[in-house]
Amino acid sequence: MRDFLTALFNEAVRLADADVVLDRHLPQDRTQKVTVIGAGKGAAKMARALENLWEGPVSGLVITRYGHIVPTRFIEVVEAAHPVPDAAGQAGAARMKEMVEGLGADDLVIALISGGGSALLSLPLDGVSLEEKQAVNKALLHSGATIDEINCVRKHLSAIKGGRLAKACYPARVLSLAISDVPGDDPSVIASGPTVADGTSVADATAILQRYGIKGYDDKLQESVKPDDPCWENMTYRLIATPQTSLQGAADLAVQQAIPAMILSDRIEGEAREVAKVHAAIVRQIQDHGQPIKPPCLLLSGGEATVTIKNPQGRGGPNAEFILALCDQLRGVDGVYALAADTDGIDGSEDNAGAWFDPTSLERMEKRGLDLHHHLDENLSYDFFKALDDLFIPGPTLTNVNDFRAIYIAPKK
């Protein structure tokens, strides 16, 4: 069963791989000179794929997360920190902005955007220090704020996000090719929208900071680039991979193996443990009543679960915490196997993408004397599943279409 669920995860990742999806979104004429910019966990892989497909002169710079680099020939790859930005990301973003400033109307820029780009493409506004940017990022990440909320604040503290990178390129033509890692696939949220118009305001960002009790930034926020700016005349934006496409691919693979599959949603958000409660309730409904689908079957879902950090020393991301809460919610239920993992290969800040659940999980937990509620309350999901040898560790995938959850449900005994 683990092989089966791993195959589903791998198919979801494959359908978001730049080598698979980039070609059909590039212009037919690939002989002209192009400047390539971009940021994200998939930026290096996207850059190499573009180099292999482009026929004319190529140059540029992209920023990716430490450990997500691949060899390129013409496009420089800078490694930086994620999810909290660092000086390497700031320096790379400054160089990228300088690279495109001064381009003319005959120049072509291709922007390669993927999940994680917001933290990696960090260039604070004048008057905002890197330390202040790091502090607000940490506070928002620990608060349980949604990715939309986090990126809204980031856009109004940045000299490059919220459309400012596109404005720096003007009047050059810009083609943005993006892999979506956000619920709803909103281009202005993916990597905080460096090359798209922003519909949020300073007032929105202020309200988010107040909602989570984060102080000291109200007088530093500035408006982003709005839809009526003339720089959008030469802009084209294309989504080349999305969570829904990856989930559908996994569902199709399951059906090919005679296992009915249902996609619950590609945009589920909320606290990981609350998301787990809902999934567990659906599992019980399926086993008890055969609704909304009869077992044996597969449930799939995506989106972005969050974790409100209670223990600063805790280890584990939202996918492992989802599985830990699922363990608690499925006590007494047999015949259920689950995998929750981040499609970028990293769940939070550890080396795992997520974790497993199977019918033996609770029994093995008791034999090892593990206190499930303690680990859940203290945000220690990584430690819990490491003790069970149930961490899922595929390594960096060099792409990102957000959370991937797969639950196989056998008929009730």
Side-chain angles (χ1 to χ4, degrees), residues 96-174:
M96 187 184 301
K97 188 168 181 283
E98 292 172 1
M99 185 180 294
V100 298
E101 289 175 335
L103 293 177
D106 293 332
D107 291 309
L108 172 64
V109 176
I110 295 183
L112 305 174
I113 308 298
S114 57
S118 190
L120 297 165
L121 199 64
S122 182
L123 185 61
L125 290 165
D126 290 340
V128 180
S129 68
L130 177 61
E131 292 73 21
E132 288 176 314
K133 198 76 181 292
Q134 291 170 328
V136 74
N137 266 275
K138 288 180 181 177
L140 287 165
L141 289 166
H142 289 181
S143 72
T146 68
I147 189 62
D148 292 39
E149 292 173 323
I150 294 172
N151 285 357
C152 176
V153 174
R154 284 169 166 169
K155 284 185 280 192
H156 294 90
L157 291 171
S158 174
I160 201 165
K161 294 189 274 284
R164 291 185 178 91
L165 182 57
K167 193 169 179 66
C169 294
Y170 185 76
R173 292 171 294 127
V174 179

Side-chain angles (χ1 to χ4, degrees), residues 291-356:
Q291 297 171 330
I293 186 173
K294 295 184 183 299
C297 63
L298 180 77
L299 294 181
L300 294 165
S301 71
E304 183 154 33
T306 53
V307 174
T308 300
I309 302 295
K310 297 178 181 178
N311 174 17
Q313 306 305 317
R315 296 201 305 168
N319 287 284
E321 185 148 318
F322 168 88
I323 292 291
L324 185 55
L326 193 72
C327 287
D328 191 33
Q329 295 296 317
L330 290 181
R331 292 178 186 271
V333 176
D334 194 22
V336 177
Y337 300 77
L339 169 65
D342 197 316
T343 52
D344 67 5
I346 305 294
D347 185 30
S349 58
E350 304 300 330
D351 60 355
N352 66 313
W356 299 97

Side-chain angles (χ1 to χ4, degrees), residues 221-300:
L221 301 167
Q222 294 183 23
E223 284 297 352
S224 48
V225 184
K226 304 308 177 190
D228 59 354
D229 194 284
C231 73
W232 306 120
E233 296 171 0
N234 297 335
M235 304 291 163
T236 302
Y237 195 99
R238 295 175 183 168
L239 287 173
I240 66 172
T242 66
Q244 174 61 25
T245 301
S246 288
L247 289 172
Q248 187 60 58
D252 292 344
L253 183 60
V255 171
Q256 289 173 19
Q257 300 190 37
I259 298 177
M262 172 176 282
I263 299 174
L264 297 178
S265 175
D266 69 338
R267 56 174 71 189
I268 295 176
E269 298 181 84
E271 285 286 328
R273 62 188 68 195
E274 299 303 320
V275 174
K277 287 181 181 178
V278 175
H279 282 70
I282 297 172
V283 168
R284 290 178 179 273
Q285 185 74 9
I286 288 171
Q287 279 203 335
D288 292 344
H289 306 292
Q291 297 171 330
I293 186 173
K294 295 184 183 299
C297 63
L298 180 77
L299 294 181
L300 294 165

